[in-house]
């Protein structure tokens, strides 16, 4: 039975999705290339031969990946299915083609079934050998990586994977949707109140009382009101981490700075572990479009940028473990020990602090009870769809706010922007000011602040604004706060790493190198512990500079490790 398309999406989102789908379809020859005999021979050196009879499964959805499969003889059907009992054969892979996508590199679970149509002779390349293949055979490796990425995009566009059931605007649905979007995991959202088929399916289960949100997995399991971590564990995307292993470097934070550290450290042969309490990408991952990033004259979405960085780090062998909250650092032990919230302790010869900052919550009456109910700290396509044709309010005058204004203006009927200053020139780049000023459906309210928020049982209804002209109200269901962030350094308490009066990490005060006379720019007051990105006291707070610091710190890490051998 074919899986039906989601008919609940706004028109402009459908247009965007259709355009992306056309782009992927045009690159179909890159998604499923046919390998020559010479290339099959190269791959064979990294794998083992396997045989299957017609009708026999190679693997099933949810099963931990064994690696990349290369069909030498025969044909294999790839089948998509979900917990609603819907399934669809999406592709036949024949001789000379390979099976796999981005999850194959890290050993994450399969997202489709693979069944032999005829007797099949195949080569299985395990994840560790696959990574070795990508490095050893550069040209072939780049073609495999390109195919993997395009296939994952295709799976996301096809909305396979877990089905999130609930009201699209509910806080729980938004949170789970945003989490899966951030980690590039395909999913779809269905509303039981408007979809009779889903409602009937849930009635046939023992889901009582009705949860705010239910997640139906491909194997039929139903998660009732799950948190992000529960969902991540059920999907098998959290990742493993060894308490016995001593890593060359442990990076705390998977934003641009942390991912850059992982890419460069792993590519130079260091063993790297990256830990993040939520998902990869940090605040940059929620940026609608970065237009001043070096090398991208037409701009690039923050999500796409960090997704590429994530795949690059995994390609070089970095281990990235999400939903792993760090609560402490023991700088007295050798090697260093990082304490996780779940009680595990991770060992590293060096530590790179890349934990960034958390969204600042301004002092607005009524804000606390509206978290996730009409108040947002980022603007992704999920929030954009919710704002279709409505009036929204945005607070903030920095570059992140500017990018969000431009993005939201393409969805919302009108965007009201509140800033405390007399103008935007002191806080926003000129190109963004010009672009925002040119938008007919954007109003900038100068020297204005929000005093209070009103709500009903469904969430935000009104914001009360104070300005030099007095107090006014704006009726809206959507408030976006881009009011800065505070450093995530609470976990460093008591370990000897010096912080400034605002809680940011101080670097560059270590001992001078006897040969060069210079101090390590990114080393903290604890030798072997470094800091990069927004969490560092003197950082520039730009994506490009965070990436640069993440790359540059690896030379200091290397130098320290070399001095100890």
């Amino acid at each position: 039975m074919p899986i039906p398309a989601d008919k609940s999406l706004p028109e402009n989102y459908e247009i965007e999705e259709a355009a992306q789908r056309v782009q992927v379809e045009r690159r179909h020859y890159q998604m499923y290339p046919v390998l020559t005999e010479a290339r099959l021979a190269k791959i064979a050196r990294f794998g083992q031969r396997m045989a299957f009879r017609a009708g026999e499964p190679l693997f099933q959805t949810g099963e931990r990946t064994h690696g990349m499969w290369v069909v030498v003889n025969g044909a294999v059907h790839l089948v998509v299915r979900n917990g609603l009992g819907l399934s669809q054969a999406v592709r036949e892979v024949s001789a000379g083609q390979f099976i796999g996508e981005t999850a194959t590199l890290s050993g994450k679970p399969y997202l489709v079934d693979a069944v032999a149509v005829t007797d099949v002779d195949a080569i299985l390349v395990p994840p560790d050998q696959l990574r070795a293949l990508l490095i050893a055979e550069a040209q072939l490796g780049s073609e495999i990586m390109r195919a993997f990425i395009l296939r994952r995009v295709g799976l996301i566009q096809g909305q396979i994977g877990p089905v999130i059931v609930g009201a699209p605007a509910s806080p729980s649905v938004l949170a789970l949707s945003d989490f899966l979007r951030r980690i590039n995991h395909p999913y779809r959202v269905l509303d039981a109140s408007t979809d009779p088929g889903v409602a009937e399916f849930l009635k046939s289960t023992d889901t009582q009382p009705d949860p705010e949100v239910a997640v139906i997995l491909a194997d039929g399991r139903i998660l009732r009101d799950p948190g992000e971590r529960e969902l991540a564990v059920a999907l098998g995307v959290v990742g493993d981490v060894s308490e016995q292993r001593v890593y060359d470097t442990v990076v705390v934070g998977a934003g641009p700075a942390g991912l850059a550290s992982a890419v460069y450290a792993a590519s130079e042969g260091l063993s790297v572990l990256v830990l993040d309490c939520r998902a990869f990408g940090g605040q940059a991952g929620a940026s609608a479009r970065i237009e001043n990033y070096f090398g991208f004259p037409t701009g690039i979405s923050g999500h796409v940028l960090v997704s590429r960085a994530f795949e690059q780090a995994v390609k070089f062998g970095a281990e990235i473990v999400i939903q792993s909250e760090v609560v402490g650092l023991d700088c007295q032990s050798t090697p260093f020990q990082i304490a996780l919230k779940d009680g595990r302790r991770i060992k590293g010869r060096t530590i790179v602090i890349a934990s960034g900052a958390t969204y600042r919550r301004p002092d607005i009456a009524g804000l606390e009870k509206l978290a996730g109910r009409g108040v947002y700290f980022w603007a992704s396509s999920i929030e954009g769809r919710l704002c279709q044709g409505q009036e929204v309010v945005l607070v903030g005058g920095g570059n992140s706010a500017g990018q969000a204004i431009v993005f939201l203006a393409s969805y919302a009927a009108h965007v009201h922007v509140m800033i405390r200053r007399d103008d935007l020139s002191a806080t926003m780049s000129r190109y963004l000011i010009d672009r925002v000023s040119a938008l007919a459906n954007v109003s900038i309210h100068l020297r204005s602040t929000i005093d209070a928020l009103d709500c009903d049982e469904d969430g935000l209804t009104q914001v009360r604004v104070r300005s030099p002209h007095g107090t006014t109200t704006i009726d809206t269901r959507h408030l976006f706060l881009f009011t800065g962030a505070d450093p995530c350094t609470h976990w460093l308490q008591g370990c000897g790493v010096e912080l400034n009066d605002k809680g940011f990490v101080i670097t560059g005060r270590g001992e001078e190198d006897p040969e060069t006379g210079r101090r390590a720019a990114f080393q903290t007051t604890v030798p072997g512990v470094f800091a990069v990105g927004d969490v560092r006291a003197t950082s520039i707070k730009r994506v490009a500079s965070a990436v640069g610091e993440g790359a540059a710190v690896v030379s200091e890490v290397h130098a320290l490790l070399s001095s100890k051998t």
Side-chain angles (χ1 to χ4, degrees), residues 38-101:
R39 289 191 160 182
L40 289 175
K42 290 180 179 179
I43 293 175
R45 295 189 294 111
F46 295 86
Q48 55 183 316
R49 297 296 281 260
M50 305 281 286
F52 298 87
R53 294 190 177 279
E56 189 177 355
L58 280 69
F59 56 80
Q60 293 184 318
T61 302
E63 183 181 340
R64 192 174 181 83
T65 183
H66 310 302
M68 180 179 76
W69 296 88
V70 183
V71 179
V72 179
N73 291 298
V76 177
H77 265 162
L78 301 183
V79 179
V80 170
R81 59 184 172 89
N82 63 28
L84 296 173
L86 304 176
S87 64
Q88 180 179 4
V90 294
R91 177 74 193 180
E92 182 175 294
V93 180
S94 54
Q97 297 182 310
F98 55 88
I99 303 170
E101 46 95 29

Side-chain angles (χ1 to χ4, degrees), residues 64-65 101-108 127 130-131 239 310-311 314 318 320:
R64 192 174 181 83
T65 183
E101 46 95 29
T102 54
T104 309
L105 283 171
S106 55
K108 298 297 190 299
L130 176 57
R131 292 191 292 269
F310 172 82
E311 301 300 346
V314 172
I320 302 177

Side-chain angles (χ1 to χ4, degrees), residues 17-32 91 150 153-154 157:
E17 286 290 283
Q20 293 175 2
R21 189 169 291 107
V22 167
Q23 291 178 12
V24 171
E25 290 174 353
R26 286 176 178 173
R27 302 178 69 179
H28 190 272
Y29 68 98
Q30 294 178 322
M31 293 177 67
Y32 291 96
R91 177 74 193 180
L150 287 171
V153 172
Q157 290 178 349

